[in-house]
């Protein structure tokens, strides 16, 4: 049995993780932390109540793994607390720069893993892989990412990761035309790793991304749509099962899928 604590357990993603963990025979939900919901029953057939404080919850519940889907402003402190107690981390919260993740992992006790996935949907991992492959042959590319209107960070972690993979794969960096003649600021999007990213935020959306390549007389679109938050759960469960076999910082679900 792997003992699992969920941080941000009352949130949109946290509630799905609670449900998904409880449905697995080899995983046990031992704590659900979410300060604003503290004291309320977790429900979903669990006898637990939401706990207010991560450190105290770790002391009481002795989890093997913390899963964090909270907020960019909260996640670093949560990771620090969990790693200091030797608890492996599976982190879905986006918005933390990779240098911060590296610093957090460097202070972890030996044998403890900080696993971070900008996107836990298997299809999104494949979309990123296909985009990196296409960029070797079609270097002109822009990313359009679309999310619900309550997302805290922009661009999305998935878009930043895709840009980084494209940048590593392509052999030339074409100009991003039109920036110097932008009539309304931001019209040409943001640049990350020399890749232009456009962020759309609208109610009704969940998590979507199109990677649009242009070449002579042709375009190529690689698109992934998470139409429901359950799309992330097989990846989260896979990471919970495998994180104990790894140590240090691991970024990207592909590292868990290949083994
Ligand atoms: P959400 O609905 O706002 O849920 C976050 C929850 O965490 C809220 O209940 C929030 O409470 C709580 N929280 C805030 N600070 C906390 C702390 N210190 N300790 C414990 N809980 C705390 O957000 P969401 O839509 O579930 O998204 C959460 C994160 O996951 C975001 O960064 C999002 O980008 C990311 N995400 C990642 C993936 C992926 O595949 N990697 C997929 C979807 C979303 P309050 O509301 O009171 O602040």
């Amino acid at each position: 049995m792997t003992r699992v604590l969920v941080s941000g357990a009352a949130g949109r993603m946290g509630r799905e993780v609670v449900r998904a963990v409880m449905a697995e025979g080899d995983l046990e939900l031992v704590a659900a932390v979410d300060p604003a919901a503290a004291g309320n029953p977790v429900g979903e057939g669990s006898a637990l109540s939401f706990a207010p404080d991560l450190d105290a919850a770790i002391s009481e519940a002795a989890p093997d793994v913390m899963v964090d889907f909270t907020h960019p402003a909260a996640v670093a402190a949560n990771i620090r607390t969990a790693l200091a107690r030797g608890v492996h981390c599976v982190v879905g919260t986006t918005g933390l720069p990779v240098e911060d993740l590296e610093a957090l992992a460097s202070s972890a006790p030996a044998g403890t893993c900080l696993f971070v996935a900008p996107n836990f949907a298997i299809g999104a991992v494949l979309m990123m892989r296909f985009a990196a492959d296409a960029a070797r042959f079609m270097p002109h590319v822009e990313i359009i990412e679309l999310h619900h209107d309550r997302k805290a960070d922009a661009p999305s972690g998935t878009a930043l990761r895709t840009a980084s993979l494209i940048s590593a794969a392509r052999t030339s960096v074409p100009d991003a035309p039109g920036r110097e003649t932008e009539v309304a600021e931001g019209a040409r999007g943001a640049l990350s790793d020399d890749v232009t990213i456009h962020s759309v935020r609208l109610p009704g959306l969940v998590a979507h991304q199109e990677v649009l390549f242009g070449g002579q007389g042709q375009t190529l679109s690689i698109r992934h749509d998470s139409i429901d938050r359950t799309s992330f759960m097989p990846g989260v469960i896979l990471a919970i099962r495998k994180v104990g076999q790894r140590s240090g910082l691991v970024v990207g679900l592909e590292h868990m899928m290949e083994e």
Side-chain angles (χ1 to χ4, degrees), residues 2 11 16 31 57 62 72 81 116 123 136 138 152 179 187 189-190 194 213 251 254 257:
T2 301
E16 285 298 340
T81 300
V116 184
R136 293 166 53 216
M138 299 182 76
R179 287 183 179 277
D194 285 316
F213 294 86
V251 179
E254 60 274 23
M257 289 163 64

Side-chain angles (χ1 to χ4, degrees), residues 7-8 11-13 34-36 69-70 74 92-94 117-120 151 232:
S7 175
R12 287 177 288 261
M13 286 295 290
D34 204 306
F69 282 94
T70 56
T93 310
T94 50
N119 200 313
F120 277 96
K151 182 167 176 56
F232 304 112

Side-chain angles (χ1 to χ4, degrees), residues 7-14 33-37 52 54 68-72 74-75 78 91-95 117-121 148 150-153 158 207 229 232 236:
S7 175
R12 287 177 288 261
M13 286 295 290
V33 180
D34 204 306
L54 178 62
D68 190 287
F69 282 94
T70 56
H71 191 276
V75 62
N78 290 347
V91 176
T93 310
T94 50
N119 200 313
F120 277 96
H148 61 90
R150 292 172 67 193
K151 182 167 176 56
D153 51 325
T158 304
R229 288 183 177 82
F232 304 112
V236 172

Side-chain angles (χ1 to χ4, degrees), residues 42-250:
V42 169
E44 312 291 345
S46 167
L48 296 171
S49 296
F50 290 110
D53 180 68
L54 178 62
D55 201 39
I58 290 175
S59 294
E60 275 169 37
D64 302 305
V65 178
M66 172 188 78
V67 180
D68 190 287
F69 282 94
T70 56
H71 191 276
V75 62
N78 290 347
I79 293 170
R80 203 172 293 115
T81 300
L83 290 180
R85 290 175 164 271
V87 177
H88 301 293
C89 296
V90 170
V91 176
T93 310
T94 50
L96 258 196
V98 74
E99 308 82 65
D100 293 15
L101 295 171
E102 282 163 358
L104 286 163
S106 69
S107 63
T112 314
C113 181
L114 169 55
F115 174 73
V116 184
N119 200 313
F120 277 96
I122 309 284
V125 174
L126 295 175
M127 173 263 294
M128 288 186 260
R129 178 183 294 185
F130 299 154
D133 200 20
R136 293 166 53 216
F137 305 99
M138 299 182 76
H140 294 82
V141 54
E142 302 202 3
I143 297 171
I144 304 143
E145 59 96 342
L146 311 91
H147 282 82
H148 61 90
D149 58 341
R150 292 172 67 193
K151 182 167 176 56
D153 51 325
S156 70
T158 304
L160 293 171
R161 174 89 174 145
T162 309
S164 157
L165 293 171
I166 286 172
S167 167
R170 69 181 172 182
T171 51
S172 62
V173 181
D175 292 337
R179 287 183 179 277
E180 59 292 339
T181 53
E182 222 176 36
V183 177
E185 195 183 337
R188 288 289 295 117
L191 263 189
S192 178
D193 283 305
D194 285 316
V195 178
T196 299
I197 304 175
H198 309 269
S199 296
V200 179
R201 296 289 177 268
L202 284 173
L205 293 169
V206 179
H208 318 257
Q209 180 167 294
E210 182 165 334
V211 189
L212 183 57
F213 294 86
Q216 193 176 353
Q218 59 185 314
T219 64
L220 169 66
S221 298
I222 302 174
R223 181 170 172 119
H224 176 260
D225 296 273
S226 274
I227 51 176
D228 190 291
R229 288 183 177 82
T230 56
S231 63
F232 304 112
M233 293 308 119
V236 172
I237 297 298
L238 178 71
I240 294 171
R241 290 199 173 116
K242 292 205 164 180
V243 70
Q245 301 161 17
R246 306 294 300 262
S247 64
L249 176 63
V250 181

